[in-house]
Amino acid sequence: MNFEEIKALDEQYVMHAYGRFPVAIDHGEGATVWDTQGKEYIDFTAGIGVTSLGHGDQGWVDAVTAQAAKLGHISNLFYAEPYAKVAQKLCVRTGMSNVMFGNSGAEANEAMIKLARKYSYDKYGKGRGTVITLHNSFHGRTITTLAATGQDKFHDFFFPFTEGFRYADANDLDSVEAVAGHDVCGVMMELVQGEGGVLPLDREFVRAVADLCAKRDWLLLIDEVQSGVGRTGSLFAFQQYGIHPDVVSFAKGIAGGLPFGGVMANEKCRNVFTPGTHGTTFGGNPVAAAAACYVLDTLDDGFLAQVQEKGAYLRSRIEAMELPCLGATRGMGLMIGVEVKGDKTNKELAAKLVESGLLILTAGPDLRLLPPLVVTKEEMDKGLEIMKAALA
Ligand SMILES: *Cc1c(COP(=O)(O)O)cnc(C)c1O
């Protein structure tokens, strides 16, 4: 099918919930993709931080196809090797002690919120169901994770929202203490606010919140749906902050392109979920779990060091271009935000870049880069050349 045919079907039969670029992507290799007309694009998006090993990685394809041929699905009423193995890998690499799998970021965060509420209920009884989250955060699209998201624009249309969330300002401990109360069971935050604009939190603030949580027996809930799985140059971003979260959620990049997500928790949360209290039909699917095992095995220390180097390279080259429409860069590893200046909006710049052959994302009012972690120097240079030519 050509682009016009695909677009016509999509327009007629698909709900218009997404503003799409006028491109149909057909296939890819590494950090390069081609559309249905054969035009090449450098991919600085990796889906939205999903295809961590790029497109068509042979080891990933082999892991997925071998598991699909062996056992494509089995319910959570039985044990299965890929499930147990990926849980072990996550715990051994992070110091966390047990996991629960689901299929997406929002679902992982729902599990994290349920875990905090039940931990508190088991220990203190009713009345401690409130979770503090931060302004400008993003935690997902379900009714509850929309409520958890600290941005007013997500609190429309779908009333009634789930109760039990209060919002504090990032990097302001007083603001967290101002919304604290006897009804709180946890604080949930992204260490690098992703959708909000790629804004890394201050180290001192994060450590102070961790101390406050420990003191009041609130669970420290870290949303690593976007920042996890090597994106920031460590397996999880919390490992660079010197904190020990109670629960960490992950999804996006974990299985290199298949739907997979979940939470990992510390020892004190081990017995919070008991048989029948939480579950999901597809969670821990063996094919997705086998893919996740392959991704985690690939992300060794040498690989993660390269993520740091590539991120630093992209940021220094973008800043050195001194384009009138772009300002400072920020972020960690290959999670990069670029300030948009001047009279063009980030959406207009992104449209121009896609048209010129570079896939890019927006975040808040700015541009966002989440390239596959395997992006090569040649691909980065090609992408930067396109950026320079298109935006000069
Ligand atoms: C994308 C994202 C989510 C939601 O993940 P879905 O898989 O879309 O449900 C939650 N939290 C953060 C930080 C995200 O970036």
Side-chain angles (χ1 to χ4, degrees):
M1 275 179 148
N2 66 29
F3 170 67
E4 291 303 335
E5 291 163 341
I6 296 168
K7 184 177 171 204
L9 280 190
D10 192 293
E11 294 281 319
Q12 186 171 355
Y13 294 111
V14 179
M15 292 185 193
H16 296 170
Y18 300 100
R20 296 202 204 279
F21 292 106
V23 175
I25 301 297
D26 185 68
H27 61 283
E29 191 181 322
T32 308
V33 295
W34 288 266
D35 70 13
T36 44
Q37 319 304 107
K39 180 174 162 187
E40 180 184 297
Y41 301 78
I42 297 299
D43 180 8
F44 279 1
T45 69
I48 301 178
V50 168
T51 50
S52 36
L53 302 184
H55 304 277
D57 178 278
Q58 195 55 52
W60 180 86
V61 171
D62 292 346
V64 167
T65 48
Q67 184 57 47
K70 194 174 172 199
L71 182 70
H73 178 76
I74 187 70
S75 79
N76 282 307
L77 304 177
F78 299 93
Y79 294 98
E81 182 178 317
Y83 196 117
K85 270 167 77 174
V86 67
Q88 178 195 30
K89 286 177 199 296
L90 281 165
C91 292
V92 168
R93 297 278 295 276
T94 60
M96 304 301 286
S97 72
N98 50 105
V99 308
M100 167 97 201
F101 292 121
N103 313 286
S104 71
E107 197 187 353
N109 287 336
E110 289 262 348
M112 191 149 77
I113 294 159
K114 286 175 77 174
L115 209 138
R117 287 181 172 176
K118 185 159 184 300
Y119 170 85
S120 203
Y121 177 88
D122 289 348
K123 209 160 160 184
Y124 304 98
K126 277 191 180 161
R128 260 178 66 126
T130 299
V131 175
I132 298 172
T133 66
L134 299 182
H135 286 127
N136 205 39
S137 57
F138 180 79
H139 296 299
R141 296 279 190 169
T142 61
I143 298 278
T144 297
T145 54
L146 281 174
T149 292
Q151 301 187 53
D152 289 341
K153 69 173 181 193
F154 289 104
H155 300 161
D156 267 328
F157 321 126
F158 308 112
F159 308 101
F161 287 96
T162 310
E163 57 189 86
F165 295 95
R166 283 206 292 274
Y167 315 102
D169 292 333
N171 301 323
D172 180 352
L173 189 68
D174 290 344
S175 156
V176 176
E177 279 171 336
V179 295
H182 295 295
D183 59 343
V184 171
C185 63
V187 178
M188 170 164 157
M189 56 195 188
E190 306 158 84
L191 295 174
V192 184
Q193 294 188 323
E195 304 301 314
V198 191
L199 305 164
L201 296 187
D202 294 345
R203 214 177 145 81
E204 296 68 38
F205 170 74
V206 170
R207 298 179 92 147
V209 170
D211 287 346
L212 186 63
C213 285
K215 203 166 84 193
R216 314 222 13 194
D217 199 16
W218 300 342
L219 294 193
L220 177 60
L221 313 169
I222 301 297
D223 177 350
E224 293 238 29
V225 168
Q226 191 161 153
S227 60
V229 199
R231 179 53 56 192
T232 66
S234 50
L235 194 60
F236 286 87
F238 82 80
Q239 296 168 307
Q240 293 179 62
Y241 274 84
I243 53 167
H244 298 284
D246 295 299
V247 194
V248 177
S249 62
F250 54 86
K252 288 195 166 87
I254 179 80
L258 293 181
F260 200 57
V263 294
M264 37 186 187
N266 65 7
E267 197 53 34
K268 89 178 176 198
C269 300
R270 179 178 289 278
N271 297 316
V272 174
F273 287 151
T274 50
T277 50
H278 187 55
T280 176
T281 299
F282 288 110
N285 169 273
V287 179
C293 284
Y294 180 77
V295 169
L296 291 171
D297 287 346
T298 306
L299 270 52
D300 59 18
D301 289 347
F303 184 105
L304 294 169
Q306 283 184 26
V307 171
Q308 297 278 12
E309 284 163 25
K310 290 173 190 178
Y313 178 72
L314 279 174
R315 287 178 61 181
S316 69
R317 287 284 313 271
I318 290 169
E319 294 196 350
M321 281 181 209
E322 296 188 351
L323 293 167
C325 58
L326 300 184
T329 67
R330 57 182 180 266
M332 283 168 71
L334 282 171
M335 185 169 180
I336 299 171
V338 187
E339 185 194 347
V340 168
K341 302 188 303 192
D343 52 359
K344 293 260 189 312
T345 66
N346 60 350
K347 296 258 180 333
E348 289 168 325
L349 296 185
K352 175 83 183 150
L353 287 167
V354 170
E355 190 193 312
S356 308
L358 178 65
L359 306 190
I360 198 154
L361 297 161
T362 60
D366 295 324
L367 290 177
R368 173 174 45 155
L369 280 58
L370 300 174
L373 306 179
V374 296
V375 64
T376 63
K377 170 122 191 325
E378 197 192 346
E379 287 167 329
M380 289 192 283
D381 286 341
K382 265 195 193 174
L384 291 161
E385 277 313 310
I386 294 168
M387 199 181 259
K388 198 167 166 183
L391 303 184

